[in-house]
């Protein structure tokens, strides 16, 4: 993510946060998040009891599949894996980077075999994410108005 500009990092952070919320409810296990900089990101969230070596292998395979499904010009896929979110619990992170400039027929056959046998991104659903580069400013809060954080206290006594 170091080569991503601030706007791209904000979009990726929103995508990751949304993914973690859905993963916490067991609605999704992984997601591909394309970046405008021609890097694709793969997010993976597993159960807490899962073996980390198995999680890393799955992440590597999912990154390989994501590279094969990517549009022309995408050579790099970065994968991030962690556990599903549980409040007040620790977590571990695993990362994988795949940089594959040339996609061969053998790679395509391996991708199809992985999708057939393991089902990784077999029927991906896609959605468009849009964001303004400069978000709209928040409305001005008066000192005696309720604090927007939801505490119920006056702004001047809470965050003012």
């Amino acid at each position: 993510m170091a080569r991503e500009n601030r706007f791209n990092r904000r979009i990726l952070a929103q995508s990751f946060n949304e993914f973690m919320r859905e993963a916490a409810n067991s609605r999704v296990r992984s997601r591909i998040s394309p970046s405008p900089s021609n890097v694709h990101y793969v997010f993976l969230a597993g159960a807490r009891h899962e073996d980390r070596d198995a999680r890393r292998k799955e992440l590597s395979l999912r990154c390989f599949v994501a590279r094969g499904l990517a549009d022309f010009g995408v050579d790099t896929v970065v994968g991030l894996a962690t556990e599903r979110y549980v409040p007040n619990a620790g977590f571990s992170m695993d990362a994988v980077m795949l940089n594959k400039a040339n996609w061969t027929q053998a790679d395509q056959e391996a991708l199809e075999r992985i999708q057939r046998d393991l089902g990784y991104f077999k029927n991906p659903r896609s959605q468009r994410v849009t964001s303004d580069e400069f978000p709209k400013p928040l409305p001005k809060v008066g000192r005696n108005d309720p604090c927007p954080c939801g505490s119920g206290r006056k702004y001047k006594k809470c965050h003012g």
Side-chain angles (χ1 to χ4, degrees):
M1 284 186 30
R3 76 183 208 185
E4 302 288 353
N5 64 33
R6 182 179 296 169
F7 179 65
N8 294 351
R9 286 193 306 267
R10 186 173 65 215
I11 290 174
L12 282 170
Q14 289 171 350
S15 178
F16 183 74
N17 285 336
E18 179 187 326
F19 165 73
M20 290 303 290
R21 279 192 298 278
E22 290 182 11
N25 297 325
S26 299
R27 284 187 269 165
V28 66
R29 181 171 174 84
S30 64
R31 170 177 290 168
I32 301 172
S33 184
S35 170
S37 66
N38 282 339
V39 174
H40 278 32
Y41 291 84
V42 173
F43 305 135
L44 173 68
R48 294 198 163 275
H49 64 274
E50 288 182 26
D51 180 52
R52 283 190 70 187
D53 287 332
R55 185 174 76 186
R56 278 190 288 267
K57 288 176 186 173
E58 179 180 348
L59 180 62
S60 296
L61 289 173
R62 286 185 182 272
C63 286
F64 181 80
V65 171
R67 167 55 185 91
L69 296 176
D71 296 332
F72 180 75
V74 175
D75 296 338
T76 304
V77 178
V78 176
L80 298 172
T82 188
E83 296 89 13
R84 290 187 190 106
Y85 176 72
V86 174
N88 301 320
F91 62 92
S92 61
M93 295 287 287
D94 295 311
V96 170
M97 186 184 105
L98 173 69
N99 190 327
K100 187 157 183 55
N102 298 319
W103 192 256
T104 64
Q105 183 61 34
D107 293 332
Q108 186 63 32
E109 291 168 2
L111 176 145
E112 291 168 3
R113 192 171 46 255
I114 292 168
Q115 284 187 311
R116 182 183 63 245
D117 297 345
L118 302 173
Y120 295 165
F121 302 124
K122 193 171 184 175
N123 297 312
R125 63 182 174 99
S126 61
Q127 64 184 42
R128 277 253 178 242
V129 176
T130 59
S131 182
D132 292 332
E133 182 153 4
F134 301 103
K136 296 171 183 65
L138 296 173
K140 198 95 161 130
V141 179
R143 289 180 41 79
N144 290 316
D145 292 340
C147 189
C149 76
S151 67
R153 298 169 54 191
K154 288 184 178 182
Y155 178 70
K156 68 182 179 185
K157 296 285 187 177
C158 192
H159 283 94

